[in-house]
Amino acid sequence: NKPADYYTIVGCIAGGEAGVDMADMLSEKLGVLSNGAQGVFANRRDKKVQQELVRDRGMRAVRQASGEKFEEVEEFLRTEQFPVVLKPTDSAGSDGVKLCHTFQEAKEHFHHLLTVEAVNGGFNTEVLCQEFLQGKEYVIDCVSRNGVHKVAMVWVYDKRPTNGSQFVYFGLLPVDPSSEEAKVLIPYNFGVLDALGMAHGPSHGEVIITKDGPCLVEMNCRAHGADGNWVPLARSLTGGYSQVDVAASAYLDEAEFDKIPNSPMSPLQAHGQMIYFVSFSKGKVKRTPGFDVVSKLPSFSHLSPSASVGGEVKFTVDLITCPGSCVMMNSNGKELEKDIEFIRYLEKINGLFEYETEAESLARPTADTFGVGQEGTHNRSATLDRSKMLRIMSMDRPELRGGLVKRFTTLDASKEMVVVVDPYSTGCVIVKEIQSRGYKVIALWTKGFSEEMKKHVPLSCGKISYHAEVTEGDNLGETTRDLYKTAGKLRIVACICGGEAGVDMTDALSERLNVRTNGTAGAFAYRRDKKVQQELIKDAGMRSIRQAAGKQWSDVESFLKSETFPVVLKPTDSAGTDGVKLCHDIEEAKDHFHNLFEVEAVNGGFNTEVLCQEFLQGKEYVIDTASRDGEHKTAALWCYDKRPANGSAFVYFGMLPVESDSLEAKLLINYTKKVLDALGMKNGPGHCEVILTAGGPCLVEMNCRAQGGDGNWRPLARALTGGYSQVEASVDAYLERRSFGNLPAIPPSPSKAYGQEVILVSYAEGDVIGTPGYDEIKELESFVYLETGVAVGGRVEHTVDLLTSVGSVIVMHSDEAVVKRDIAKIRQMEQNNKLFILKQTSTMMRAVSTLNFQSLSLGEAN
């Protein structure tokens, strides 16, 4: 109820970027301390005007052009070196400030800025295009009164390459005012304030020290933003004051302002910094245990999270994907350093967040793994469209050409016929080997086998042709008659499986044709069924997986309620990555159980039963075998190289050969032979997947066919053994008794060469516009083969599982040092994100100090 003239207005201060112009005009009108709004100073918030005023003073300024129409900046953009910065002339915070890497990108963003509402309301009327300054980025917080400028604090940003991004903000660190950079920055900043006519109040100058010296990014004619979370830190550093305190004194208490030193004492009175959290993983947040831990550290002062329970965290590649910040300070510098190191450790081990679990692919790498998904995505197993794949094979290694060991061929081979059921992937390699020995081949396609899968021919096979192609009839008798009719006078001497989809037909048909067979007697009729496999080896007294299977949820519910999670769910007759998932709770398992009955299997048809199994923990091995009349020979042993990466507990990095005289090899070979016997697999190839648990080897699954992966491993396998692989051994088993008899029971040790399959891992994501890494890989001395579904025009993601793996490289050489050197080169390219050139997206360039992290949204975080 006081009269209007009861109070005396003694100050008018801008409370934020949006209030700068009004504060200048109103303070001038009220006759209180004012920077005024006369002449060019009326537009001092205009970033273009700022640079022009600085340049007029003879100081280093940014090259720039601005306009309301694109034609006004076009000439500048055509002559300026990219990247360039585009922003509204009166931008605030992160409002519209972008780094554009091409002329077209700049043009699109220019028009975009004139159509979107500004963060402070209204619409942008003019766009500023500026050179991109390169150098260390500093912030100078000042306060002025009557043209006397005092430095409240100098800061520097800690920026580093991370997650494939050129720079990511890690923190804001105080700079000692007596340092060499401060001695350059402070007088430059004072000159900028004078040039802009800023005689009163707080200012927040952003400056980059370029090779030509300091250069203004922009002057914010108000206090440092970020909710003032830095105030307690600043007070500790200076010994008692911050920009906020000095600004109040500048307007309200001249005597107190005069007592403030021109710059903080040196050395600074405490130790501290602003930490910007960096995420090396992604997911939906279930809990934030890391934030709780950080808040209990001795140096902790304040936490500003932008990620919360129920929200999405992404890999940190820019400010938008930063999950928050905290202020750390301590009188003891070593204690502070220790706490900061711990926070960085938490980030690296992905300890900041606990995510809601997602079904996780547990299938082993195959050629299909690196296929191309839907256009524009990086989905390895969604399709088998080989036409979109990039495949490169070394053409200048004589040792990779032809067979290394002469095979015996019967005189009657040209009069004999071999039936190969569903020949795709390695099955085509087997066909080529059979044909090289003079035999004719009929391809038998089972019902429902897709036309797309029939085109799944490895690069090493070139063009493949058959004596004839036959499709499965309505029953086994009709199919047999069709084959005999097609063979004519040629004698059918073998029926061999060409891929997972052909296993059951191969067993039944070979038995019907009265050629070498594994048969279909009793339980053996279902040997491809993963549940049956485990039951058969359990009956044989061997370690097997705890499991339950069913066609209805009620069939497996009891097992899942009693089993320790996580558990594995998969179709009983799965192939490759087909439907195999790791589920972390019963609800997740239930959802995936029902989902498996709704999706088409990779080999055609629909799943009829789901298998639930305990999750085996231990090292994962592959044992490739070939058998003839119950005599089993081990062609190769491999071990998967799995490591944590990109926030995932395990990522496949490669497949390494295992020496046959090693202790684990002896255990695995003996166990695998017993598995083959238990499953009645007397003839042909086997691809056995085993995990070496604390209780010994345990079968994951036996694939009753040769190893897949398009047989790209074959040149390496032959080099390791000195002349043969599972392909040759399998053909020998069916067709050449003498050659099979001459094969050793296990591969020679030590191996005759060195090498491995390298599975490529991406530490970045984006649209691919170049693949220089592929060119370097194919020039490596040990290079044999490269296959990938990521090519120019596609997209790559951070590798967190098989679906996001980049591709596969086979390396092999007689010199171990060459192989190690080349693998190290590949891993270095991965780490440095040199495999690809990614399309640079517009990047937010404004200083972090202007942002309120709690107002940022990460997905659905807020």
Side-chain angles (χ1 to χ4, degrees):
N1 297 324
K2 303 292 185 182
D5 59 353
Y6 181 84
Y7 294 103
T8 301
I9 297 176
V10 296
C12 181
I13 307 171
E17 185 68 28
V20 170
D21 294 337
M22 177 57 75
D24 285 346
M25 291 187 292
L26 192 56
S27 59
E28 190 174 47
K29 186 76 171 178
L30 291 169
V32 294
L33 289 179
S34 177
N35 289 319
Q38 302 302 313
V40 292
F41 297 146
N43 302 307
R44 66 166 57 86
R45 184 168 166 252
D46 184 307
K47 310 312 176 188
K48 175 188 175 186
V49 171
Q50 287 185 358
Q51 296 294 337
E52 291 173 348
L53 289 172
V54 170
R55 185 178 289 106
D56 290 345
R57 280 291 184 105
M59 301 167 65
R60 169 75 161 96
V62 176
R63 296 188 300 274
Q64 63 180 16
S66 67
E68 298 177 1
K69 298 179 179 179
F70 186 72
E71 293 75 17
E72 297 174 280
V73 299
E74 185 172 6
E75 178 64 24
F76 172 80
L77 290 173
R78 291 195 182 278
T79 56
E80 182 61 29
Q81 183 176 348
F82 279 87
V84 295
V85 178
L86 268 71
K87 55 186 171 183
T89 54
D90 58 354
S91 61
S94 61
D95 186 26
V97 185
K98 300 289 183 181
L99 182 66
C100 298
H101 293 78
T102 65
F103 179 85
Q104 186 60 34
E105 190 174 40
K107 184 176 182 179
E108 289 172 2
H109 190 57
F110 183 97
H111 292 302
H112 171 74
L113 286 174
L114 297 178
T115 59
V116 295
E117 188 174 1
V119 71
N120 293 321
F123 286 85
N124 302 310
T125 58
E126 188 178 40
V127 176
L128 180 60
C129 306
Q130 295 181 320
E131 69 168 303
F132 173 51
L133 297 174
Q134 299 194 49
K136 238 175 181 180
E137 186 178 355
Y138 296 84
V139 167
I140 306 95
D141 290 334
C142 287
V143 179
S144 307
R145 180 184 172 96
N146 295 326
V148 175
H149 311 303
K150 298 193 175 186
V151 176
M153 186 54 61
V154 180
W155 311 89
V156 64
Y157 285 114
D158 175 12
K159 296 189 292 184
R160 316 174 198 174
T162 300
N163 288 330
S165 178
Q166 187 178 357
F167 59 82
V168 168
Y169 286 93
F170 274 68
L172 180 69
L173 289 67
V175 176
D176 193 290
S178 66
S179 65
E180 291 303 314
E181 60 260 52
K183 291 176 181 177
V184 172
L185 290 163
I186 291 172
Y188 176 84
N189 198 73
F190 286 175
V192 171
L193 292 172
D194 291 337
L196 301 187
M198 291 185 63
H200 306 284
S203 59
H204 178 69
E206 299 168 8
V207 177
I208 287 179
I209 295 185
T210 71
K211 62 181 181 180
D212 304 319
C215 183
L216 179 70
V217 176
E218 59 186 59
M219 179 62 71
N220 299 279
C221 310
R222 39 83 183 167
H224 190 144
D227 280 5
N229 296 330
W230 43 270
V231 170
L233 172 58
R235 286 174 178 160
S236 296
L237 295 168
T238 62
Y241 65 90
S242 72
Q243 187 187 37
V244 170
D245 309 301
V246 182
S249 297
Y251 281 104
L252 305 175
D253 192 335
E254 184 175 7
E256 190 64 30
F257 177 80
D258 291 340
K259 294 178 184 178
I260 302 294
N262 292 332
S263 63
M265 292 175 59
S266 178
L268 296 172
Q269 305 302 293
H271 305 274
Q273 70 174 76
M274 182 90 77
I275 296 283
Y276 299 113
F277 294 121
V278 175
S279 173
F280 296 92
S281 58
K282 64 179 180 179
K284 188 172 184 179
V285 179
K286 184 177 182 180
R287 291 196 313 117
T288 57
F291 289 164
D292 297 333
V293 173
V294 169
S295 67
K296 292 178 174 61
L297 294 175
S299 306
F300 174 77
S301 173
H302 182 83
L303 178 69
S304 296
S306 58
S308 58
V309 173
E312 295 284 342
V313 167
K314 300 179 181 179
F315 288 95
T316 303
V317 293
D318 54 23
L319 286 177
I320 296 297
T321 48
C322 174
S325 68
C326 70
V327 176
M328 307 292 289
M329 58 185 182
N330 202 308
S331 59
N332 186 320
K334 289 186 178 179
E335 195 73 33
L336 173 70
E337 187 177 329
K338 182 179 175 182
D339 288 349
I340 293 172
E341 285 180 358
F342 181 74
I343 291 174
R344 297 309 179 200
Y345 170 73
L346 273 180
E347 293 170 335
K348 280 289 187 183
I349 64 170
N350 301 294
L352 290 177
F353 308 106
E354 181 182 320
Y355 299 117
E356 293 187 10
T357 58
E358 295 182 1
E360 194 170 343
S361 174
L362 288 177
R364 283 78 197 156
T366 69
D368 308 346
T369 302
F370 311 111
V372 181
Q374 296 175 357
E375 190 171 351
T377 66
H378 177 174
N379 186 342
R380 295 291 160 259
S381 61
T383 181
L384 293 171
D385 187 349
R386 317 304 288 175
S387 64
K388 293 183 180 178
M389 294 202 69
L390 174 63
R391 298 182 287 175
I392 303 170
M393 179 166 281
S394 176
M395 303 304 292
D396 57 359
R397 308 258 323 253
E399 69 270 33
L400 302 181
R401 301 174 195 151
L404 301 180
V405 173
K406 182 174 177 59
R407 322 307 297 182
F408 294 94
T409 303
T410 66
L411 294 175
D412 293 330
S414 61
K415 301 177 182 178
E416 296 174 333
M417 179 72 70
V418 176
V419 176
V420 180
V421 183
D422 291 341
Y424 66 100
S425 186
T426 304
C428 295
V429 181
I430 290 175
V431 168
K432 281 289 190 179
E433 176 66 23
I434 294 170
Q435 290 174 334
S436 73
R437 302 189 190 190
Y439 295 89
K440 301 291 189 298
V441 175
I442 293 176
L444 173 66
W445 304 112
T446 55
K447 278 185 178 179
F449 197 79
S450 70
E451 291 300 317
E452 186 179 28
M453 289 289 287
K454 293 177 185 179
K455 299 174 186 176
H456 185 152
V457 179
L459 179 64
S460 62
C461 292
K463 186 177 180 181
I464 194 165
S465 59
Y466 304 100
H467 176 78
E469 297 181 53
V470 175
T471 299
E472 177 189 1
D474 291 335
N475 53 60
L476 193 59
E478 182 181 332
T479 303
T480 305
R481 288 191 293 275
D482 288 345
L483 287 171
Y484 279 134
K485 181 179 179 181
T486 303
K489 295 181 179 180
L490 299 177
R491 185 167 64 97
I492 297 177
V493 295
C495 179
I496 304 176
C497 176
E500 185 70 27
V503 171
D504 295 338
M505 174 56 73
T506 300
D507 286 346
L509 188 60
S510 57
E511 192 173 44
R512 185 66 172 260
L513 291 169
N514 199 29
V515 293
R516 187 162 276 101
T517 183
N518 287 320
T520 58
F524 297 147
Y526 307 102
R527 63 168 59 84
R528 181 171 167 250
D529 184 307
K530 310 312 176 189
K531 176 190 173 188
V532 171
Q533 288 184 356
Q534 296 294 334
E535 291 173 347
L536 287 172
I537 66 169
K538 184 178 181 180
D539 291 344
M542 302 167 63
R543 168 73 162 99
S544 62
I545 295 177
R546 296 188 301 273
Q547 63 179 17
K551 299 179 180 181
Q552 298 179 20
W553 171 248
S554 57
D555 297 333
V556 299
E557 187 174 9
S558 177
F559 170 80
L560 289 171
K561 284 184 175 179
S562 61
E563 183 62 29
T564 301
F565 279 85
V567 295
V568 178
L569 268 71
K570 57 185 173 183
T572 53
D573 57 355
S574 61
T577 60
D578 188 24
V580 185
K581 299 291 180 181
L582 182 66
C583 298
H584 295 77
D585 58 49
I586 195 162
E587 284 304 314
E588 192 172 45
K590 186 174 183 179
D591 289 344
H592 189 57
F593 182 94
H594 292 303
N595 179 61
L596 285 173
F597 288 105
E598 296 172 2
V599 296
E600 188 175 2
V602 72
N603 292 323
F606 286 85
N607 301 309
T608 57
E609 189 177 44
V610 174
L611 180 61
C612 307
Q613 297 180 321
E614 69 168 302
F615 174 49
L616 296 174
Q617 299 192 48
K619 224 169 185 181
E620 187 177 354
Y621 295 85
V622 166
I623 305 92
D624 291 332
T625 62
S627 306
R628 179 184 173 98
D629 298 334
E631 181 184 1
H632 311 303
K633 298 199 174 182
T634 301
L637 296 97
W638 312 90
C639 177
Y640 285 119
D641 174 13
K642 295 189 292 186
R643 317 175 201 171
N646 290 325
S648 178
F650 58 84
V651 168
Y652 284 95
F653 276 69
M655 186 173 75
L656 289 67
V658 177
E659 290 291 339
S660 61
D661 65 350
S662 64
L663 177 60
E664 63 262 42
K666 292 174 182 177
L667 288 170
L668 292 164
I669 291 170
N670 183 53
Y671 178 84
T672 300
K673 286 182 176 179
K674 291 180 179 179
V675 170
L676 292 169
D677 289 338
L679 301 186
M681 287 182 62
K682 297 179 179 180
N683 296 290
H687 178 65
C688 191
E689 298 168 5
V690 176
I691 286 180
L692 199 52
T693 71
C698 183
L699 179 71
V700 176
E701 58 186 57
M702 173 65 77
N703 299 279
C704 310
R705 39 85 182 169
Q707 183 181 164
D710 278 8
N712 296 330
W713 42 266
R714 186 190 184 196
L716 171 58
R718 294 201 300 189
L720 294 169
T721 63
Y724 68 94
S725 73
Q726 186 187 34
V727 171
E728 290 84 3
S730 297
V731 176
D732 287 344
Y734 280 105
L735 302 175
E736 314 289 355
R737 177 185 59 79
R738 183 178 171 188
S739 294
F740 184 80
N742 288 338
L743 289 175
I746 61 174
S749 186
S751 299
K752 306 295 185 182
Y754 303 90
Q756 71 170 76
E757 178 182 18
V758 177
I759 297 176
L760 298 176
V761 174
S762 172
Y763 295 93
E765 65 182 10
D767 297 324
V768 179
I769 61 174
T771 56
Y774 296 168
D775 296 329
E776 290 197 46
I777 288 173
K778 70 182 183 181
E779 295 301 322
L780 295 175
E781 190 174 350
S782 64
F783 172 72
V784 174
Y785 183 83
L786 165 66
E787 180 163 291
T788 175
V790 180
V792 173
R795 183 171 178 81
V796 67
E797 299 174 17
H798 290 92
T799 302
V800 294
D801 53 23
L802 277 178
L803 299 183
T804 48
S805 294
V806 173
S808 170
V809 177
I810 304 292
V811 293
M812 182 270 290
H813 203 274
S814 59
D815 187 342
E816 184 178 16
V818 171
V819 172
K820 287 183 175 180
R821 180 198 67 200
D822 289 352
I823 293 173
K825 173 75 172 177
I826 293 172
R827 296 306 180 202
Q828 184 181 42
M829 283 193 287
E830 291 172 336
Q831 288 283 347
N832 296 334
N833 298 300
K834 298 297 185 183
L835 288 177
F836 312 104
I837 299 174
L838 302 179
K839 180 181 179 182
Q840 297 294 323
T841 56
S842 297
T843 307
M844 179 158 59
M845 297 296 298
R846 281 296 293 265
V848 193
S849 58
T850 62
L851 298 180
N852 171 2
F853 275 100
Q854 290 174 322
S855 70
L856 284 178
S857 173
L858 294 186
E860 301 175 358
N862 294 306

